[in-house]
Amino acid sequence: MKAVAIAHPNIALSKYWGKKPGEWNVPAVPSLSITLAGLATTTTVAFDAALTTDTLTINGAAIAALRATELLDHVRSAAGLTTRASIVSTNDFPTASGLASSASGFAALAVAATRAAGLDWPAERVADLARRSSASAARSLFGGFVELDGDIVRPVAPAGAIDLRVLVCVTTEAAKAVSSRIGMNTTAAKSPYYAGWLETAPRIHAELKAALLAGDLPRVGELAEQSAFAMHASAFAAGIVYVSGATLDAYATVRALRADGIGAWATMDAGPHLKCLVHAKDAAAAKARLEASPGVLRIIEATPGEGARVSASTGEDARPGASSTGASGVQGRSPCVDR
Ligand code: PMV
């Protein structure tokens, strides 16, 4: 009745922003992300008959388990359980500040909760459970480059498809003021450019996916930047501003790197941290320049990594669904969702 899971955040190259009306947390546009090694959430779920309510701590602080309880209720209902659970989660990177801690958090929770409840679900079903809590969490179930299209999540290329580094420029350790859920709902309700975003995002996504499969990093970088700016422009027009002065200074550095002949591209999510995409060979030069950018506190260098898994410390096979197929899991692929 207890399991530990590890999941990594993912950074969308082509972004999702906005939900399909009338459906349960289904993104309005397709997205494609990289699951990142180098940042991790570790979550322990223990069903415990002595508890009268679910409890949750994140990095040692007790917080209301509301959204976690929603997820656990699905698990309890599928497993025929009524027992409450304690959830203990830690992030080794800033929480709730646009570094996709909700993606790794709900991915780790979904893996740990299903395993603790004795459900041996295939990864696609665990991903669907995670998506209901945070759409981007579905992508963290898989390693490498992952697509979320409607409610279907699928790995599209292994972690080694492009020799890429993601330089996460941390500009604050604080949580963001406006959640992505509120930010995207406000954009959909108030932005005069939301219709333009819905029209543009699928085109950028399709072109980016093709460039990725062709191994064309400069085109992937260019399209990732287009996607981020189109998303943020639609949000800006509704008064939703996630970037800070430090983000824009870091972006000026990215452009200066390009002017100097170094392939570097920027992306930003629902928070002020700029993420710089570079080829591995340029990572050290780009990192040195970005470290000197005003307002950049530190840089986390991440590589494409593997999907969410039960922690080896529990002594079980790592990947959701692995025991049902006997497969040990291949980087970037789930043994159960290749369709
Ligand atoms: O999954 P959510 O609801 O936390 O939203 C994530 C939104 C972005 O990070 C801005 C874009 C994306 O596709 O990850």
Side-chain angles (χ1 to χ4, degrees), residues 139-154:
R139 299 185 309 232
S140 278
L141 259 293
F142 303 97
F145 296 84
V146 185
E147 177 178 57
L148 177 61
D149 191 356
D151 61 357
I152 303 296
V153 60
R154 56 171 89 82

Side-chain angles (χ1 to χ4, degrees), residues 4-335:
V4 185
I6 298 172
H8 303 289
N10 66 77
I11 299 293
L13 299 175
S14 59
K15 308 283 182 200
Y16 118 73
W17 194 247
K19 323 263 192 208
K20 278 196 178 153
E23 295 187 55
W24 185 248
N25 215 26
V26 176
V29 296
S31 58
L32 195 154
S33 63
I34 318 172
T35 303
L36 299 179
L39 303 92
T41 297
T42 304
T43 299
T44 304
V45 172
F47 288 97
D48 180 348
L51 292 172
T52 53
T53 177
D54 296 322
T55 62
L56 169 64
T57 66
I58 298 183
N59 291 347
I63 57 169
L66 305 170
R67 286 175 69 191
T69 287
E70 272 173 29
L71 187 150
L72 288 175
D73 282 345
H74 285 291
V75 172
R76 278 187 281 259
S77 135
L81 286 172
T82 51
T83 321
R84 304 284 123 185
S86 75
I87 306 160
V88 177
S89 190
T90 54
N91 293 322
D92 64 4
F93 58 94
T95 299
S97 85
L99 281 179
S101 57
S102 71
S104 53
F106 283 110
L109 178 62
V111 171
T114 48
R115 187 57 67 100
L119 299 169
D120 190 17
W121 284 0
E124 67 173 349
R125 193 163 175 199
V126 182
D128 196 61
L129 172 70
R131 178 195 52 78
R132 290 161 185 272
S133 298
S134 164
S136 58
R139 299 185 309 232
S140 278
L141 259 293
F142 303 97
F145 296 84
V146 185
E147 177 178 57
L148 177 61
D149 191 356
D151 61 357
I152 303 296
V153 60
R154 56 171 89 82
V156 293
I162 292 187
D163 202 3
L164 182 69
R165 294 288 178 276
V166 181
L167 304 175
V168 180
C169 301
V170 178
T171 57
T172 174
E173 307 290 346
K176 64 195 168 210
V178 179
S179 69
S180 51
R181 185 172 287 198
I182 289 175
M184 64 182 81
N185 288 345
T186 306
T187 306
K190 295 193 175 157
S191 175
Y193 302 137
Y194 185 63
W197 162 252
L198 292 182
E199 196 186 311
T200 309
R203 177 190 59 76
I204 296 177
H205 170 79
E207 288 179 21
L208 192 145
K209 185 175 167 185
L212 171 71
L213 294 175
D216 184 348
L217 176 59
R219 187 73 184 134
V220 168
E222 202 179 306
L223 288 159
E225 219 175 272
Q226 273 182 31
S227 174
F229 279 102
M231 178 210 121
H232 282 274
S234 72
F236 258 46
I240 300 294
V241 179
Y242 288 112
V243 298
S244 68
T247 322
L248 297 178
D249 283 334
Y251 183 55
T253 305
V254 169
R255 291 178 72 121
L257 283 163
R258 282 212 293 267
D260 292 346
I262 296 178
W265 298 272
T267 186
M268 295 86 65
D269 292 278
H273 317 289
L274 178 139
K275 292 105 182 182
C276 176
L277 311 169
V278 284
H279 191 278
K281 71 176 168 40
D282 296 324
K287 192 174 174 194
R289 293 271 288 277
L290 284 162
E291 267 166 353
S293 186
V296 172
L297 304 178
R298 61 194 171 93
I299 292 181
I300 303 167
E301 184 172 339
T303 53
E306 58 181 319
R309 58 215 179 266
V310 174
S311 168
S313 67
T314 60
E316 296 181 52
D317 195 344
R319 201 162 284 272
S323 60
S324 58
T325 62
S328 60
V330 179
Q331 184 88 309
R333 289 299 229 221
S334 159

